[in-house]
Amino acid sequence: MTVLTDLGEAVRRGGEFRAGGTDLMGRRAAGPHVDLRGLSDLSGVTWQPDGSVRIGALTTVARVARDARLAAAHPCLALTAAGLATPQIREVATVGGNLLQRNRCAYFRNPAFSCHQNGGDHCPARAGLAPNAAILDTGPCVAPHPSSLAVALLACDASVEVRGGEPFPVADLYGDGSDPSRDHLLPPGEILASVVLPPPVPGERAAYHRAIGRSEAEWPLVEAAARLVTEGGRITFARVAAGGVARVPVRLPEVEEALLAGEPLDRAAGLATARCAPAARNHYKIALLAGTVLEVLERATGTGEPR
């Protein structure tokens, strides 16, 4: 693997970019690989005069999780960073790597199968053994996007920057999920430079929760993040996003609108399932989505205890 210290040279070399390398063995057949860890200017947390913050793409997840100022200004992101993977992985995994990682679909990662992701023309997961598949049907591929940080950044109204470009909404990094061949829409050979979060919202409370198959160190079956502001017993600001349920991380506008309209938390959480169209073996995710969303709403309002 080539380790480079110049951004332009990294782009000219081509190949799959690597930073923390946490998925290196799983993607070893995708080479050649270009190691980006030498690009020190893409790492770090920089605060702007207006209160916004820029986080370099090579900043580790652990640094985001333990940054006290970030936790105070953007608790949704800090909680999500602290909740993903394991302490060991968080120490080497990067923000950019988490946002741009490849999906975990067993069919895509098995060389015996052909699918949209590796040049094929169909999705074997649709008719196969795919209990973790998406329940929001946004396109031909039903492999859920695995980025937890993307879920938090959607809820945080964040933007991303590519090398030499202007910031654009993090949602545009993924599109609507209708392209079955890609996990993100970053142009080939381009490098994600940073994430930009707007100034904090006064009075914000946040929560993150992932439903997993074991106590820790597991990819989420469903995950959700919420940011709420409550004034006089009413919710006046709401951002809710979910992961593990669609080809791309998704905002849940139905839930947000219900919260702002004063609906009870359980009623609002139930609306998260309004667009669900599960496959043959993953109907359980519908109830899991509603329950996970209710969990973060209760935590963010202080009306429930973590379960």
Side-chain angles (χ1 to χ4, degrees):
M1 182 185 295
T2 304
V3 181
L4 300 175
T5 58
D6 178 77
L7 185 57
E9 178 62 17
V11 173
R12 287 190 293 272
R13 284 292 184 97
E16 281 209 355
F17 299 130
R18 288 288 180 272
T22 60
D23 197 24
L24 185 59
M25 292 303 294
R27 295 287 298 152
R28 61 188 181 278
H33 301 134
V34 177
D35 192 334
L36 301 179
R37 288 175 297 174
L39 303 178
S40 57
D41 57 334
L42 296 187
S43 181
V45 177
T46 305
W47 292 89
Q48 307 300 318
D50 65 353
S52 62
V53 60
R54 176 175 284 101
I55 303 173
L58 295 186
T59 306
T60 65
V61 173
R63 180 171 179 182
V64 172
R66 60 176 173 247
D67 188 303
R69 187 174 178 184
L70 267 179
H74 299 285
C76 182
L77 179 61
L79 289 169
T80 303
L84 66 85
T86 65
Q88 295 88 344
I89 289 177
R90 292 194 293 269
E91 287 293 337
V92 295
T94 64
V95 170
N98 187 272
L99 294 177
L100 303 179
Q101 63 187 294
R102 301 307 306 272
N103 71 77
R104 322 304 296 188
C105 178
Y107 291 98
F108 164 55
R109 290 181 175 250
N110 188 331
F113 289 92
S114 172
C115 73
H116 293 295
Q117 289 278 305
N118 57 26
D121 60 359
H122 72 296
C123 178
R126 283 186 172 274
L129 297 172
N132 297 340
I135 53 175
L136 296 179
D137 197 347
T138 60
C141 177
V142 294
H145 199 282
S147 175
S148 296
L149 293 186
V151 175
L153 291 172
L154 274 178
C156 289
D157 296 313
S159 300
V160 294
E161 294 177 317
V162 297
R163 177 181 59 100
E166 293 295 320
F168 59 90
V170 68
D172 292 350
L173 185 62
Y174 303 106
D176 60 5
S178 59
D179 185 344
S181 66
R182 308 183 67 184
D183 287 318
H184 57 78
L185 302 181
L186 195 68
E190 191 54 271
I191 293 178
L192 186 69
S194 61
V195 168
V196 181
L197 288 91
V201 175
E204 172 185 329
R205 295 187 60 172
Y208 167 77
H209 181 65
R210 53 173 43 199
I212 55 179
R214 59 189 185 194
S215 62
E216 58 185 12
E218 182 64 278
W219 297 98
L221 301 170
V222 174
E223 59 187 333
R227 300 169 60 218
L228 303 176
V229 175
T230 302
E231 297 179 5
R234 291 187 62 86
I235 294 174
T236 59
F237 175 91
R239 297 288 188 273
V240 186
V245 296
R247 188 70 191 91
V248 296
V250 292
R251 278 274 294 273
L252 299 174
E254 304 94 337
V255 177
E256 296 171 356
E257 292 165 7
L259 292 170
L260 295 174
E263 294 283 356
L265 298 186
D266 57 348
R267 162 76 174 162
L271 295 176
T273 68
R275 292 175 283 159
C276 287
R281 299 175 183 270
N282 65 350
H283 283 72
Y284 75 95
K285 275 195 170 188
I286 296 179
L288 196 59
L289 172 59
T292 302
V293 172
L294 179 58
E295 177 77 14
V296 296
L297 296 182
E298 289 181 341
R299 291 190 193 182
T301 56
T303 58
E305 295 297 327
R307 289 187 283 269

